[in-house]
């Protein structure tokens, strides 16, 4: 496995230069483009890591899985009264669909849906940002995880589109807490810094019927675990979920920091990272690495 | 297994009466509502059948898988220059998305995408409707399959919305053959009559890496097979694909005749049928039966 | 007036070269671009003509006024059960709005609305194309008007988008006659050839409370006349109606043949023609000429 | 004239009960429904008033004309770099169109456009709300006009949809000042209380080539005046501008407080008020009264 990971990174490294590092906030635009890392964690506890797999990066939308899992833990099926679980067929930050569907977001992985999940968590937790950070620390076993305050502040300053979505949902009665407060929590989640190893460990309960292989903690029931994986499979890669299923064939979740986590149910968790993105906001080299990995060792669930 | 199927049908039978038989053409509206059947076919060749599993019905949109597989067989990856492989996030017959995306349908399972696939096949086959029928006969091993001419004609008379989609694509240059001719082929495909056993056998190559377990024919490569399953998983159930993944967790394809086929990769193919539909156009009892089956014997791919 | 018209043509002639002649069908694309004509007809019967004001051209969408007036003559207010009288806020051939508003077009001057008007007329007249041609002959006093059969046929061959709109309306139950037959009538209307003088005379009843100043025929009641003018003022120039009101301040109707007719209620009718169009499909030099005319002699109704 | 106004009020009074008083904020919902007033002011200085024509009401969207005129006064044609002058074809508070057109509102009378105008004025005036109030005082000759602070505060509390629009425009770079500050100004404008006489006098410059007949002040140039009237004619009555042109035939502007002002260029200004609204947000009795008035004394500009 270790050799395979090294090989694959060598094969996809030439793709660096074909994408664009996220630039909507200065703090992200400054990330050096030529980084590439990967980590694979097996349900038996073996960990493989290659390239820049131990360099922390901004997890961005990958945080939406942590928030969702927290919401499922305390509210279960009730959350689906506030949002759907269908793929969106629209760019991740479009308001058009949200208006037509009267403020009910399509799924928890588009921004509007993640904001509703944060709104649900805001009603539950005294300090949602800290609560989520501690959850990520426990899941990854890394107790030094912190959010990048500069990134969080910068995202807040560029909050216009997310604020528009939140206010639109509020106008339909589907947002219960103060918009500004929820946005601050949301951007803190996004600004959490983790590396590939952290993320592979943190997501490993999703490959193991809800039980974390390294800590033994039962995070979700087996059925809930399958449901989260199903959501990632149909909606986890912005408007490229279909392409990811077609090319890679695994449940996964990406972020504009360049990370992609994927789950091989019953076997492995993998996280790949490279900051340059394609037009859909997914890591160019990351997508290619996962496709190659899936082909070589037949990881597709299909 | 036989006992399990009988039990499940008994459990979901009370749902009959909660849905509505498709009524957009008289020939379908007349189908008796209280029918319910299931068939399961294993990769080892065991066949289980319960209820009305041997009563033929109109396969409707399930035919879109046959057309797609034919197109992949002769044109491979080239077909993706004419349509996408992303979930649509819109009702299956919406023109809005098609206009915004300039005549390129989102995927082969919405009507517009299936029409493009038929247009591709129309350019290839002298008699596309017969060609597809023969393909279904071979895949199912049932050489008596025929289309219901009354249904095909009636669908053609009510072709307005599909005609609108085809002409819209033609206006964007994404339709090459005569619209009326392709519509006739398309409605013949939809009007094919098959029963649950036929469909379980016909789809079994998708559970077996592309090789039909009963005939030994290699229909698709292993990789192409995974891709078709991925497409069904993200887009196979109209605008309920996310819900099907969430509740059942299998690649599947439904039709407004009330049939749903699902694939358990490496193990089984299953077809369930009951004519009453929910608001998304999927069989009410069929969805419930597959959900129970998936829960009981842990079939979810996630 | 004659001198003013000559001056204005001289002033706007340099704009020729800044637009584009309609090119969606070859028969229109071949029209020489450097033509420019104008005609003004007063309610007292004075006629002024300058430039190429006697060269016939394809009236295209200007025909929509003739069809509408015919429909009002035989069906009055009933027509508004089939379409609206609000501006559309969308390009003239968009299907998006039509689908959202369930097959009821916004107004009689977008293509979908004109098709519904043709459908209404098709139910009334044995030979709608001839009936409309004769109507235009009578209104203009020119008994030699004919449609250009080459243009009509060519438009029919490129009917895809209009066919899509008609079939979409049929799918909502808002189209009663055979789509192909109505499209043939529609394209015959569009292909009628008239010159600026013909059109100024033909529209003059709209400046004169419904009575044609030259023939004495009462075409519409005074109230109906105001209503048609109101419709032209809010919807007559594709998605540039607001700009036309802002710059020119008159009810008007344009066509992609490069003609624009405008009405000064109680006083004049004017028609200007130059084939090059702006991005909204309106004559570049024609718009400019009307703006100058409106400024110089204070014709704005506002 | 006085007698005519009395008659018309008697004729339309039975319509009271058929509409609904605006209820999106409690302060408006409490307005007694059975009020009905009218005022007509001639360019020669005659004032006619009937019914509750001297009872003040919340002018709401009628204030958009005052803001627009202020913006034209200090920025002229430059404002059209920030918004359009086309009718919108969408409900007045829809975000769909705003997103498609990348944050550039269609016209100054939909909410998004009025917010951009307020943003322009916010950059210019130290205290925009006071500045606009003083402008309305001067135009109406009533120096006791004030905004209803309870209404302004209540609207601010229910700002969600307008906030969504403002943030969406900010995300496209088309909003320069603090969103919350501009919203406060905007709601203060809307909460201004005026009666029919105030509004007839305040708008009278629009009937008189830009010069206020009672104060002699030149508010706009003659050409700018025509342009404002053109904007009201194509976009002044929410998504019923076409219907108002069709039925009444005058430039006008309505508000959800139940007021409608209309301009008869060169002759009169009229304001009618009755709180019950139709589905488009326009006064039911007010529309009917203006239609009757327009029919009886032939005021239509068409």
């Amino acid at each position: 496995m270790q050799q395979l990971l090294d090989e694959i990174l060598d094969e996809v490294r030439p793709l660096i230069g074909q994408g664009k590092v996220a630039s909507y906030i200065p703090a992200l635009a400054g990330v050096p483009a030529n980084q590439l890392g990967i980590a694979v964690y097996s349900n038996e506890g073996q960990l493989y890591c290659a390239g820049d797999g131990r360099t922390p990066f901004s997890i961005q939308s990958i945080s939406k899985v942590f928030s969702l899992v927290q919401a499922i833990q305390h509210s279960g099926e009730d959350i689906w009264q506030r949002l759907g679980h269908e793929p969106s067929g629209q760019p991740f930050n479009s308001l058009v669909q949200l208006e037509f569907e009267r403020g009910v977001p399509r799924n928890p992985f588009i921004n509007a849906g993640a904001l509703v999940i944060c709104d649900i968590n805001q009603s539950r937790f005294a300090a949602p940002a800290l609560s989520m950070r501690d959850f990520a620390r426990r899941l990854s076993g890394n107790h030094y995880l912190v959010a990048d305050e500069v990134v969080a502040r910068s995202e807040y300053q560029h909050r216009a589109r997310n604020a528009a979505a939140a206010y639109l949902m509020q106008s339909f009665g589907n947002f219960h807490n103060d918009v500004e407060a929820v946005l601050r929590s949301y951007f803190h989640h996004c600004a959490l810094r983790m590396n590939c190893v952290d993320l592979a460990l943190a997501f490993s309960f999703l490959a193991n019927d809800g039980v974390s292989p390294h800590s033994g903690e039962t995070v979700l029931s087996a059925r809930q675990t399958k449901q989260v994986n199903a959501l990632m499979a149909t909606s986890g890669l912005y408007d490229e979920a279909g392409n990811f299923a077609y090319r890679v064939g695994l449940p996964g979740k990406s972020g504009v920091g360049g990370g992609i986590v994927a789950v091989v149910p019953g076997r492995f968790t993998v996280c790949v990272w490279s900051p340059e993105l394609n037009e859909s906001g997914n890591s160019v080299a990351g997508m290619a690495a996962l496709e190659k990995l899936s082909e070589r060792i037949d990881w597709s669930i299909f």
Side-chain angles (χ1 to χ4, degrees), chain A:
Chain A
M1 174 68 82
Q2 183 64 47
Q3 189 184 343
L4 176 65
L5 297 185
D6 291 332
E7 273 174 34
I8 284 176
L9 291 198
D10 286 346
E11 288 175 34
V12 305
R13 196 168 277 117
L15 293 175
I16 293 175
Q18 294 188 11
K20 277 183 63 177
V21 174
S23 60
Y24 65 99
I25 58 165
L28 286 181
V31 174
N34 63 340
Q35 301 182 85
L36 176 61
I38 194 167
V40 171
Y41 183 64
S42 79
N43 283 2
E44 288 72 39
Q46 282 127 335
L47 176 68
Y48 308 91
C49 174
D52 302 308
R54 292 196 185 272
T55 306
F57 56 90
S58 199
I59 67 168
Q60 294 294 324
S61 290
I62 297 173
S63 67
K64 289 168 180 164
V65 180
F66 296 134
S67 312
L68 172 65
V69 171
Q70 284 194 299
I72 291 174
Q73 284 183 331
H74 60 70
S75 298
E77 291 279 314
D78 289 352
I79 64 172
W80 305 119
Q81 295 171 8
R82 301 277 304 276
L83 78 167
H85 40 253
E86 292 300 325
S88 84
Q90 297 277 342
F92 64 99
N93 54 7
S94 167
L95 295 194
V96 169
Q97 198 172 57
L98 191 57
E99 185 168 18
F100 281 128
E101 303 189 350
R102 305 195 62 71
V104 178
R106 274 264 155 158
N107 66 61
F109 297 143
I110 53 173
N111 285 13
L115 288 167
V116 162
I117 292 291
C118 283
D119 185 49
I120 291 171
N121 287 339
Q122 193 89 10
S123 299
R124 182 75 175 211
F125 298 122
L130 292 184
S131 167
M132 201 283 252
R133 187 201 64 188
D134 291 346
F135 185 53
R137 285 182 175 178
R138 219 165 64 229
L139 289 178
S140 65
N142 178 345
H143 294 277
Y144 299 99
L145 297 182
V146 286
D148 183 326
E149 295 293 331
V150 174
V151 168
R153 250 197 316 277
S154 184
E155 303 238 32
Y156 182 76
Q157 279 157 11
H158 293 80
R159 73 189 175 285
R161 184 166 276 268
N162 285 307
Y167 277 113
L168 181 56
M169 293 190 284
Q170 191 182 78
S171 79
F172 283 113
N174 196 22
F175 211 86
H176 301 168
N177 295 282
D178 179 64
V179 166
E180 305 296 318
V182 175
L183 287 172
R184 285 188 191 277
S185 301
Y186 174 74
F187 292 128
H188 259 89
H189 299 347
C190 291
L192 199 66
R193 292 177 65 78
M194 297 175 75
N195 63 30
C196 291
V197 171
D198 296 331
L199 282 163
L201 268 75
F203 272 65
S204 59
F205 72 96
L206 290 171
N208 195 39
D209 287 335
V211 181
S212 169
H214 60 91
S215 74
E217 178 181 350
T218 296
V219 182
L220 293 179
S221 73
R223 180 141 189 85
Q224 287 171 328
T225 301
K226 287 178 195 303
Q227 291 167 342
V228 172
N229 285 338
L231 287 163
M232 292 200 296
T234 53
S235 312
L237 273 92
Y238 304 132
D239 55 347
E240 223 182 1
N243 193 35
F244 193 72
Y246 186 85
R247 288 173 56 186
V248 178
L250 295 175
K253 185 74 203 80
S254 59
V256 294
I260 310 177
V261 186
V263 171
V264 191
R267 300 170 63 194
F268 289 102
T269 313
V270 55
C271 178
V272 61
W273 170 59
S274 184
E276 286 187 352
L277 309 178
N278 64 17
E279 290 189 348
S280 298
N282 296 316
S283 172
V284 173
M287 289 280 282
L290 287 173
E291 186 175 15
K292 283 179 184 294
L293 204 49
S294 174
E295 277 184 61
R296 298 284 174 84
I297 50 178
D298 195 24
W299 273 3
S300 165
I301 56 175
F302 301 116

